[in-house]
Each structure stands twice: as structure tokens, then as C-alpha cells.
Amino acid sequence: MDRIAVITSGGDAPGMNAAIRAVVRAAIGRGAAVVGFHHGYEGIIKNEAEPLDSKSVGGIITTGGTILRTARSKDFMERVGREKAIEVLRENGCEGIVVIGGDGSLTGALKLHEEFQFPVMGVPGSIDNDISGTDYSIGFDTAVNAALDAVDRVRDTAYSHERVFVIEVMGRRNGFIALEAALAGGAEAVLIPEIPYSLLEICDQLRDQAAKGKRSSIIIVAEGAAKAGDIKDFIQKNTGFEARFLVLGHMQRGGSPTAFDRVLALRLGAYATNRLLSGYRGEMAGVDGNKLVSHPLSYVLSTERMVDPEKLLLAEVMAQ
Ligand code: F6P
């Protein structure tokens, strides 16, 4: 393989730039050239190609977002869009592609592999950490730390005013960010979509804690579980405690990647590239207990990633 493509697709995640850098430099190290396409699959269809050399990915390891930009392409969902994408990739001399993104992007990669036998490798990039086949996806650690910073700041004012704060974090249909931020931030309760919860029980718990002298609380809610404003209203109405809420939103997706995310991105980007150049196809690189692994995309996309029951129990015990 003399030339490969790279894209970032779907929601951006801090560390995607480090992954692009790793793909480019690993490929160059093996004597292959790299073409980056802007705006993910949409940019392939529109032929937004940019040859990437070692210098063009210099100085990006520290930055959030993605230098290649990103998009969620409607055209690529249709077979005719994918045919066009394959045509453009071939016109540009690309013999394979590394796709950095979340499950929607990896689903697109699997389609290129299955429908056109085009050589693809996936790299998990999503703050949600909801991708099977890897312990961590790129951007999760940075997003958790951004959420945690907000939780720590809110705790100061919650304590001073003796209020209940409900903080909504991202995570799409999952509660990985919520659970991690709740554990690290010492939250009094965490609501995630994977586990049923009772708001009346949470109100009882807040009353018990208040009776023991705890006059401020932080409740973390995953966006897929409920709206923070509704939870705040319910608690205020049922307990009489003064409550406030905030929705952290996209601030969790920006900022300089943590050391963890940078190293993860470098390892996964380089590993995926090396495997693609060595003839492996239709897989996604991941980490399992800090070891690099690679699983078929078909397996990754058909397996649901479960929340760790040990962490759930720990959050419950710690909130007492
Ligand atoms: O998948 C990443 C993510 O940030 C989710 O946590 C969130 O639900 C979604 O993307 C938001 O998407 P958009 O940026 O299109 O509003």
C-alpha cells in the first residue's frame, strides 16, 4: 500500500489531532503517503483532499478539535454516496483508509469494507466511551476531566449556599461520563440511562443526609437519563430544598487533550495504521487492560458496551 486516507468523522473529541498525527507519521515511517479528507465522509464525497506530511501534523498534539474538521454526512448514508466516496478515494490513489470517530463513523467504515471490500481500519474517537472492543475511546478522559472541573467549582458554591445542584453531562444514550465524573467528584447521586432510578428515593436520601448535617449535594445526570432542569424542579418541589441546575454541554468536548488521551490517540492511531499497512482489514484498534488489541468492526458494532457494575456499586456506597 503506497497511499492511505484518513478522516475524522462524527462528533469531535479531544485527542483526534494526536491520532491524525500518529496515522501520518506511522504511515510515513513505513514509506506510505497520507491524504487527509476534510469534513469526514462528506469531504470524501466532495473531494476535499489535503496531502498530509510530517510537518503538516506538527504542533497539533496539544490541541482539541480536529484539524481535518468533521461532519455527519447524510449523503454517505445512501449507497450512491458511498459509491461516490469509493470513486474519489481511488481517484486520489488511496488504497485504504483510517477512520477516526464514534459508532456512526465506524458503521460507515464497515460499509466500505463489506460493500466494496475497501481496506479500512477504525480508531475509536468519542467522548462518550460507548464503543465496544476498547476500554477507552479517545476524548473520554478529557471530557470527564472537563466535567469534573465544573463539578468541583459548583461544589464550592453549593456548599456556601447550602443548595442542591443538578449537573447534566453528555454521553448520548450512555452514562459513562456521568458515572466517572460522579465517582471522581464525590457526587451524592448519579442518574444514568442504563439503570432505573427513583426520584422519590433520591429525595428521601437528600432528606436523610440533611438530617445528618449535610446541607449541600451534587447530583449528576447523564443527558440520556433525564433533563437536569426537570430533576431540579422535582427535588425542589418534593424536599423544599433550594436547588439549581446546569447543563455542561459542548464545553466537555473542547480543550487540550489530557496526557492520557494524547498517548491513547498516538498508540491507537499508529497501531491501526500499521495493521492496515500490514494487510489487516475491517477492524478497529482498541485497548484492553492497557494492551493494544484489534477487533473486527462487525463485532465492535454488534456488541453493546456495558457500564461497570463495580463502579456503580462504588458510587452508591460512596454517596452514603
Ligand atoms: O457523541 C458525542 C456527543 O457529544 C454526545 O455526547 C452528544 O449527545 C452529541 O455528541 C451532541 O451532538 P451535537 O454536537 O451534534 O449536538
Side-chain angles (χ1 to χ4, degrees), residues 175-284:
F176 296 103
I177 298 177
L179 182 56
E180 212 74 6
L183 281 169
E188 277 66 32
V190 56
L191 312 185
I192 61 171
E194 292 92 332
I195 305 290
Y197 55 84
S198 155
L199 286 182
L200 287 173
E201 273 176 28
I202 289 175
C203 290
D204 286 346
Q205 183 192 324
L206 292 175
R207 271 190 289 267
D208 285 354
Q209 288 173 343
K212 288 182 201 149
K214 191 173 203 175
R215 300 197 192 288
S216 67
S217 300
I218 304 273
I219 296 172
I220 297 189
V221 52
E223 63 175 345
K227 289 204 178 313
D230 295 344
I231 304 292
K232 175 235 139 199
D233 288 345
F234 188 94
I235 288 172
Q236 195 156 271
K237 198 162 153 244
N238 281 271
T239 62
F241 297 152
E242 198 182 357
R244 296 283 188 274
F245 78 98
L246 73 158
V247 177
L248 298 186
H250 288 78
M251 62 80 75
Q252 295 158 96
R253 251 177 36 198
S256 181
T258 58
F260 181 90
D261 271 331
R262 294 183 199 190
V263 175
L264 178 72
L266 294 177
R267 293 177 78 199
L268 295 181
Y271 187 57
T273 306
N274 281 321
R275 280 184 78 84
L276 183 66
L277 294 174
S278 300
Y280 294 92
R281 275 103 183 76
E283 297 179 351
M284 184 196 79

Side-chain angles (χ1 to χ4, degrees), residues 11-12 72 126-128 130 170-173 177 223 250 253:
D12 62 333
R72 293 185 171 109
S126 166
I127 63 164
D128 301 332
D130 56 353
M170 276 188 166
R172 221 167 34 134
R173 292 185 294 272
I177 298 177
E223 63 175 345
H250 288 78
R253 251 177 36 198

